[in-house]
Amino acid sequence: MKKSREKLRIGVLVSGGGSNLGAIIEACNTGEIEGEVCVVLSDNKDAYGLERAKNHKIENYFVDKKEFSDREIFDGELVRILKNHHVELVCLAGYMRIISASFVKAFPNRIMNIHPALLPSFPGLHVQKKAVDYGVKVSGCTVHFVDEEVDHGPIIIQKAVPVLDDDDGDSLAARILKHEHRIYPEAIRLFAEDRLKVEGRRVIVSG
Ligand code: GRF
């Protein structure tokens, strides 16, 4: 049962093109998600995701890791900005840094990530090429809650995507990306409707 509520306040972290950010913004604008992206953060000043935020008049910040002595202190600045914007859900969207335990603790089961493979298969980076090179026939994408291990938290939604004989890493990545843009907004929508219940490693979707 969809519960009426104030719009979910979403903070998004990007490092690159931000196509998943674009899909999330679009889903908020169409009303698919009862939410709004209220702040975008990046560790990369040239991230096009920051441009996307600007184009949608969303507050956005480049946080320069060189100005912070270590990851914990850098992450502390990210958490400070997110809390100042009263963010209720943090979405990592092509964000390339590993977040610290203190960051995770600041938003327990309130940080999501999109990974372009079917976890627990192919964690880490360049996973589309790894899937092609391994010879799998099916790969896909995963939205999961972020815990203190990399690519490990409870899985919310997955989508299987076929690997074709003539695929390379780039062609598979492009096919998977289209599905990322569907399942990430869907996972956020379910969260906004308070329909996700984490039970140990499992995420139960209600209603
Ligand atoms: C996507 O494949 C995403 O799964 C991975 O980074 C890629 C680019 O994402 N984490 P985006 O276009 O920056 O959202």
Side-chain angles (χ1 to χ4, degrees):
M1 177 64 183
K2 189 167 171 178
K3 297 177 180 173
S4 63
R5 53 159 291 137
E6 286 297 306
K7 284 192 173 188
L8 177 70
R9 295 182 64 81
I10 304 163
V12 184
L13 275 60
V14 299
S15 296
S19 70
N20 278 287
L21 167 65
I24 294 166
I25 292 170
E26 178 67 20
C28 290
N29 289 346
T30 61
E32 178 191 345
I33 297 173
E34 289 284 327
E36 61 176 333
V37 177
C38 49
V39 65
V40 174
L41 306 180
S42 183
D43 60 324
N44 170 11
K45 68 178 170 37
D46 300 321
Y48 187 66
L50 291 173
E51 203 57 38
R52 291 179 192 266
K54 291 184 182 89
N55 294 341
H56 288 276
K57 298 184 178 20
I58 296 170
E59 280 206 57
N60 59 95
Y61 300 82
F62 160 54
V63 183
D64 186 351
K65 49 188 172 295
K66 292 198 288 296
E67 289 176 13
F68 300 87
S69 52
D70 69 28
R71 179 149 59 103
E72 290 282 341
I73 297 171
F74 172 79
D75 279 7
E77 176 64 4
L78 301 181
V79 169
R80 186 189 67 78
I81 297 170
L82 290 164
K83 294 287 186 186
N84 280 352
H85 285 78
H86 311 291
V87 163
E88 300 168 283
L89 177 67
V90 181
C91 292
L92 309 183
Y95 184 65
M96 301 308 279
R97 289 173 65 83
I98 294 169
I99 64 172
S100 60
S102 52
F103 191 154
V104 175
K105 286 193 180 75
F107 293 93
N109 281 331
R110 287 180 168 272
I111 306 173
M112 288 186 187
N113 183 44
I114 181 93
H115 184 76
L118 292 177
L119 292 172
S121 297
F122 304 109
L125 299 174
H126 314 301
V127 298
Q128 301 93 334
K129 181 175 185 320
K130 285 176 183 166
V132 170
D133 293 348
Y134 191 93
V136 296
K137 298 303 179 183
V138 177
S139 190
C141 43
T142 302
V143 183
H144 63 95
F145 283 116
V146 173
D147 64 10
E148 296 176 18
E149 294 182 50
V150 177
D151 296 334
H152 174 269
I155 290 169
I156 302 166
I157 295 182
Q158 292 186 298
K159 174 69 180 169
V161 175
V163 181
L164 308 180
D165 292 346
D166 60 352
D167 264 329
D168 60 16
D170 290 341
S171 59
L172 178 60
R175 189 174 313 116
I176 291 173
L177 193 59
K178 290 191 180 72
H179 293 284
E180 292 177 41
H181 297 162
R182 295 192 190 109
I183 67 170
Y184 213 167
E186 171 67 5
I188 298 166
R189 178 176 71 80
L190 292 169
F191 185 94
E193 293 173 5
D194 200 17
R195 291 172 53 191
L196 299 177
K197 189 165 184 297
V198 180
E199 293 179 2
R201 269 215 58 87
R202 299 187 65 202
V203 177
I204 309 302
V205 181
S206 60

